Amino acid sequence: SAVISQKPSRDICQRGTSLTIQCQVDSQVTMMFWYRQQPGQSLTLIATANQGSEATYESGFVIDKFPISRPNLTFSTLTVSNMSPEDSSIYLCSVGTGESQPQHFGDGTRLSIL
Amino acid sequence: GQNIDQPTEMTATEGAIVQINCTYQTSGFNGLFWYQQHAGEAPTFLSYNVLDGLEEKGRFSSFLSRSKGYSYLLLKELQMKDSASYLCASLDSNYQLIWGAGTKLIIKP
């Protein structure tokens, strides 16, 4: 399966700042997704990153708060904007090669906001 | 609404067998995935079922009954390294994954 590199692996940020998380894949993939996982909780889909167009956001997530870029088939970024302590979570990118194919995950970014 | 149910936590003994159940109600169905997630790590893919029946992969097997909206993951010859959370996810009619909350499996010596 594809090798997925996610950076940074962890960060501690100040309230009100923004952080951009990068996801790089070693091969072209059809689909890229961004998830959030609160401690002890399951995965919540933030958005589907679409190559060359605006991301598709899930209910409860908006572009102003979580802008996403996907300039090509191997790279995407998620920005967490104007952070508050409630944004402390693990953020995961995943990739898929087809609709019925399994998603594979990056190692995640552990984000803490003070 | 869409819903995935699985037990919150299970405990089993090293060397034994454990079955983790998952029931799902989703808008359409295009398959059922199981993932393993060790604490502090990302989920890793274990299995995918779209047809009824049992799929075996070494010590792990996964079963699906579409008519019952039911799946289980069977782990044999349990090892301490199998201590992890196991996530069930259903692929709905829009090919979107609907995730369960996960089952934390604790293996005791």
Side-chain angles (χ1 to χ4, degrees), chain A residues 33 35 37 40-43 45 58 90 92 99-108 110, chain B residues 30 33 35 37 40-45 48 87-88 91 94-97 99-102:
Chain A
F33 305 91
Y35 287 89
Q37 187 174 31
Q41 305 289 317
S42 191
L43 301 166
L45 181 64
E58 297 303 307
I90 298 172
L92 293 150
E99 289 175 326
S100 298
Q101 297 301 310
Q103 291 181 26
H104 297 283
F105 289 83
D107 288 338
R110 287 147 191 82
Chain B
N30 283 298
F33 290 89
Y35 282 79
Q37 186 175 26
E41 298 182 10
T44 56
F45 166 71
Y48 171 65
L87 305 172
C88 167
L91 198 61
N94 295 318
Y95 291 92
Q96 179 166 318
L97 278 175
W99 294 86

Coordinates of all heavy atoms in Angstrom, one line a residue, chain A residues 33 35 37 40-43 45 58 90 92 99-108 110, chain B residues 30 33 35 37 40-45 48 87-88 91 94-97 99-102:
Chain A
F33 N -8.6 12.1 2.4 CA -9.5 12.5 3.4 C -8.8 13.1 4.7 O -7.7 12.7 4.9 CB -10.4 11.3 3.9 CG -11.1 10.6 2.8 CD1 -10.4 9.5 2.2 CD2 -12.3 10.9 2.4 CE1 -11.1 8.8 1.2 CE2 -13.0 10.2 1.4 CZ -12.3 9.1 0.7
Y35 N -9.5 13.5 8.8 CA -10.3 13.0 10.0 C -9.8 13.7 11.2 O -8.6 14.1 11.3 CB -10.2 11.5 10.2 CG -10.9 10.6 9.2 CD1 -10.2 10.2 8.1 CD2 -12.2 10.2 9.5 CE1 -10.9 9.4 7.2 CE2 -12.8 9.4 8.6 CZ -12.2 8.9 7.4 OH -12.8 8.1 6.5
Q37 N -9.8 12.8 15.5 CA -10.1 11.7 16.5 C -9.8 12.3 17.9 O -8.7 12.5 18.2 CB -9.3 10.5 16.2 CG -9.7 9.3 17.1 CD -8.9 8.0 16.8 OE1 -7.8 8.1 16.3 NE2 -9.6 6.9 17.0
G40 N -9.9 8.6 22.9 CA -10.9 7.6 23.3 C -12.1 7.5 22.4 O -13.0 6.7 22.7
Q41 N -12.1 8.3 21.3 CA -13.3 8.4 20.5 C -13.0 7.7 19.1 O -11.8 7.4 18.8 CB -13.7 9.8 20.3 CG -14.0 10.6 21.5 CD -15.3 10.1 22.2 OE1 -16.3 9.9 21.5 NE2 -15.2 9.9 23.5
S42 N -14.0 7.6 18.3 CA -13.8 7.1 16.9 C -13.4 8.2 16.0 O -13.2 9.4 16.4 CB -15.0 6.4 16.5 OG -14.7 5.7 15.3
L43 N -13.4 7.9 14.7 CA -12.9 8.9 13.7 C -14.1 9.7 13.2 O -15.2 9.2 13.0 CB -12.3 8.1 12.5 CG -11.1 7.3 12.9 CD1 -10.8 6.3 11.7 CD2 -9.9 8.2 13.1
L45 N -15.0 12.3 10.2 CA -14.6 12.8 8.9 C -14.8 14.3 8.9 O -15.9 14.8 9.1 CB -15.3 12.2 7.7 CG -14.9 12.6 6.3 CD1 -13.5 12.2 6.0 CD2 -15.9 12.0 5.3
E58 N -17.9 17.9 5.7 CA -19.0 17.2 6.4 C -19.7 18.2 7.3 O -19.2 19.3 7.7 CB -18.5 16.1 7.3 CG -17.8 15.0 6.4 CD -18.7 14.4 5.4 OE1 -19.8 14.0 5.8 OE2 -18.3 14.4 4.2
I90 N -6.4 14.5 17.6 CA -5.5 13.9 16.7 C -6.1 14.1 15.3 O -7.3 13.9 15.1 CB -5.3 12.4 16.9 CG1 -4.6 12.2 18.3 CG2 -4.4 11.8 15.8 CD1 -4.6 10.8 18.7
L92 N -5.9 13.2 11.3 CA -5.4 12.1 10.5 C -5.7 12.3 9.0 O -6.9 12.7 8.7 CB -6.0 10.7 10.9 CG -5.6 10.2 12.3 CD1 -6.7 9.4 12.8 CD2 -4.4 9.4 12.1
E99 N -13.4 3.4 -4.7 CA -14.6 3.6 -3.8 C -14.7 2.4 -2.8 O -15.1 2.6 -1.6 CB -15.8 3.7 -4.6 CG -15.9 5.1 -5.3 CD -17.1 5.2 -6.2 OE1 -17.5 4.2 -6.8 OE2 -17.6 6.3 -6.3
S100 N -14.4 1.2 -3.2 CA -14.6 0.0 -2.3 C -13.2 -0.5 -1.8 O -13.1 -1.6 -1.3 CB -15.3 -1.1 -3.1 OG -16.6 -0.7 -3.4
Q101 N -12.2 0.4 -2.0 CA -10.9 0.0 -1.5 C -10.7 0.5 -0.1 O -11.2 1.6 0.2 CB -9.8 0.6 -2.5 CG -9.9 0.0 -3.9 CD -9.7 -1.5 -3.9 OE1 -8.8 -2.1 -3.3 NE2 -10.6 -2.2 -4.5
P102 N -9.9 -0.1 0.7 CA -9.6 0.4 2.1 C -8.9 1.7 2.0 O -8.1 2.0 1.2 CB -8.8 -0.7 2.7 CG -8.1 -1.4 1.6 CD -9.1 -1.4 0.4
Q103 N -9.2 2.5 3.0 CA -8.4 3.7 3.2 C -7.2 3.4 4.1 O -7.3 2.5 5.0 CB -9.3 4.8 4.0 CG -10.4 5.3 3.1 CD -11.2 6.4 3.9 OE1 -10.7 7.0 4.8 NE2 -12.5 6.5 3.5
H104 N -6.1 4.0 3.8 CA -4.9 3.9 4.6 C -4.5 5.2 5.2 O -4.7 6.3 4.5 CB -3.8 3.3 3.7 CG -4.1 2.0 3.1 ND1 -4.0 0.8 3.9 CD2 -4.5 1.6 1.9 CE1 -4.3 -0.2 3.1 NE2 -4.7 0.2 1.9
F105 N -4.0 5.2 6.4 CA -3.9 6.4 7.2 C -2.4 6.8 7.4 O -1.5 5.9 7.5 CB -4.5 6.1 8.6 CG -6.0 6.1 8.6 CD1 -6.7 4.9 8.2 CD2 -6.7 7.2 8.8 CE1 -8.0 4.9 8.2 CE2 -8.1 7.2 8.8 CZ -8.8 6.0 8.5
G106 N -2.2 8.1 7.4 CA -1.0 8.6 7.9 C -0.9 8.4 9.4 O -1.8 8.0 10.1
D107 N 0.3 8.7 10.0 CA 0.5 8.5 11.4 C -0.2 9.5 12.3 O -0.2 9.3 13.5 CB 2.0 8.5 11.7 CG 2.7 7.3 11.2 OD1 2.1 6.3 11.0 OD2 4.0 7.4 11.0
G108 N -0.8 10.5 11.8 CA -1.5 11.4 12.6 C -0.7 12.6 13.1 O 0.5 12.5 13.2
R110 N -0.8 15.0 16.5 CA -1.3 15.2 17.8 C -1.2 16.7 18.2 O -0.1 17.2 18.3 CB -0.6 14.3 18.8 CG -1.0 12.9 18.7 CD 0.2 11.9 19.0 NE -0.2 10.6 18.6 CZ 0.0 10.1 17.4 NH1 0.4 10.8 16.4 NH2 -0.4 8.8 17.1
Chain B
N30 N -22.1 -0.8 0.9 CA -21.1 -1.2 -0.1 C -19.9 -1.9 0.5 O -18.9 -2.0 0.0 CB -20.7 0.0 -0.9 CG -21.7 0.4 -1.9 OD1 -22.0 -0.4 -2.9 ND2 -22.2 1.6 -1.8
F33 N -15.7 -2.7 6.7 CA -14.3 -2.8 7.0 C -14.0 -3.0 8.5 O -14.8 -2.5 9.3 CB -13.6 -1.4 6.6 CG -13.6 -1.2 5.1 CD1 -14.6 -0.6 4.5 CD2 -12.4 -1.5 4.4 CE1 -14.6 -0.3 3.1 CE2 -12.4 -1.3 3.0 CZ -13.4 -0.7 2.4
Y35 N -10.7 -2.3 11.1 CA -9.4 -1.7 11.3 C -8.9 -2.0 12.7 O -9.7 -2.1 13.7 CB -9.4 -0.2 11.1 CG -9.5 0.3 9.7 CD1 -10.7 0.2 9.0 CD2 -8.3 0.7 9.1 CE1 -10.7 0.6 7.6 CE2 -8.3 1.2 7.7 CZ -9.5 1.1 7.0 OH -9.6 1.5 5.7
Q37 N -6.4 -0.4 15.7 CA -5.7 0.8 16.1 C -5.0 0.6 17.5 O -5.7 0.5 18.5 CB -6.6 2.0 16.1 CG -5.9 3.3 16.4 CD -6.8 4.5 16.3 OE1 -8.0 4.4 16.5 NE2 -6.3 5.7 16.0
G40 N -2.2 5.4 20.5 CA -1.3 6.4 20.0 C -0.8 6.3 18.6 O 0.0 7.0 18.1
E41 N -1.4 5.3 17.9 CA -1.1 5.0 16.5 C -2.3 5.2 15.6 O -3.4 5.4 16.0 CB -0.5 3.6 16.3 CG 0.8 3.4 17.1 CD 1.4 2.0 16.9 OE1 0.9 1.3 16.0 OE2 2.3 1.7 17.7
A42 N -2.0 5.2 14.3 CA -3.1 5.4 13.3 C -3.8 4.0 13.1 O -3.2 2.9 13.3 CB -2.5 5.9 12.0
P43 N -5.0 4.0 12.6 CA -5.7 2.8 12.3 C -5.0 2.1 11.1 O -4.5 2.7 10.2 CB -7.1 3.2 11.9 CG -7.3 4.6 12.4 CD -5.9 5.2 12.4
T44 N -5.0 0.7 11.2 CA -4.4 -0.1 10.1 C -5.5 -1.0 9.6 O -6.3 -1.6 10.4 CB -3.2 -0.8 10.4 OG1 -3.5 -1.7 11.6 CG2 -2.0 0.1 10.8
F45 N -5.6 -1.2 8.3 CA -6.7 -2.0 7.7 C -6.5 -3.5 8.0 O -5.4 -4.0 7.9 CB -6.6 -1.8 6.1 CG -7.4 -2.8 5.3 CD1 -8.8 -2.8 5.4 CD2 -6.7 -3.7 4.6 CE1 -9.5 -3.7 4.6 CE2 -7.4 -4.7 3.8 CZ -8.8 -4.6 3.8
Y48 N -12.0 -6.6 4.7 CA -13.1 -6.0 4.0 C -14.1 -7.1 3.6 O -13.6 -8.1 3.0 CB -12.7 -5.2 2.8 CG -13.8 -4.7 1.8 CD1 -14.7 -3.8 2.3 CD2 -13.8 -5.2 0.5 CE1 -15.7 -3.3 1.4 CE2 -14.8 -4.8 -0.3 CZ -15.7 -3.8 0.1 OH -16.7 -3.4 -0.8
L87 N -11.9 -1.2 15.1 CA -12.9 -0.3 14.6 C -13.6 -0.9 13.4 O -13.0 -1.5 12.5 CB -12.3 1.0 14.0 CG -11.4 1.8 15.0 CD1 -10.7 2.9 14.3 CD2 -12.2 2.4 16.1
C88 N -15.0 -0.9 13.5 CA -15.8 -1.4 12.4 C -16.3 -0.2 11.7 O -16.6 0.9 12.2 CB -17.0 -2.1 13.1 SG -18.4 -2.6 12.1
L91 N -19.5 1.0 4.6 CA -19.4 1.9 3.5 C -20.8 2.1 2.9 O -21.4 1.1 2.5 CB -18.5 1.2 2.4 CG -17.9 2.0 1.3 CD1 -17.0 3.1 1.8 CD2 -17.2 1.1 0.3
N94 N -23.1 6.3 -0.7 CA -22.2 7.3 -1.3 C -20.7 6.9 -1.2 O -19.9 7.8 -1.4 CB -22.5 8.6 -0.6 CG -23.9 9.2 -0.9 OD1 -24.4 9.1 -2.0 ND2 -24.5 9.7 0.2
Y95 N -20.5 5.7 -0.8 CA -19.1 5.2 -0.6 C -18.4 6.0 0.5 O -17.2 6.2 0.4 CB -18.3 5.2 -1.9 CG -18.8 4.2 -2.9 CD1 -19.8 4.5 -3.8 CD2 -18.4 2.9 -2.8 CE1 -20.3 3.5 -4.7 CE2 -18.9 1.9 -3.7 CZ -19.9 2.2 -4.6 OH -20.3 1.3 -5.4
Q96 N -19.1 6.5 1.4 CA -18.6 7.1 2.6 C -18.5 6.2 3.8 O -19.4 5.4 4.0 CB -19.4 8.4 3.0 CG -18.8 9.1 4.2 CD -19.4 10.5 4.4 OE1 -19.6 11.2 3.4 NE2 -19.8 10.8 5.6
L97 N -17.4 6.2 4.5 CA -17.2 5.3 5.6 C -17.9 5.8 6.8 O -17.7 7.0 7.2 CB -15.8 5.1 5.9 CG -15.0 4.0 5.1 CD1 -13.5 4.1 5.5 CD2 -15.6 2.7 5.3
W99 N -18.1 5.2 10.7 CA -17.3 4.5 11.7 C -18.0 4.2 13.0 O -18.8 5.0 13.5 CB -16.1 5.4 12.0 CG -15.1 5.6 10.9 CD1 -15.2 6.5 9.9 CD2 -14.0 4.8 10.6 NE1 -14.2 6.4 9.0 CE2 -13.4 5.3 9.4 CE3 -13.4 3.7 11.2 CZ2 -12.3 4.8 8.8 CZ3 -12.2 3.2 10.6 CH2 -11.7 3.7 9.4
G100 N -17.7 3.0 13.5 CA -18.1 2.7 14.9 C -17.2 3.4 15.9 O -16.1 3.9 15.5
A101 N -17.6 3.3 17.2 CA -16.8 4.0 18.2 C -15.5 3.2 18.6 O -14.6 3.7 19.3 CB -17.6 4.3 19.4
G102 N -15.5 1.9 18.1 CA -14.3 1.1 18.4 C -14.5 0.2 19.6 O -15.3 0.6 20.6

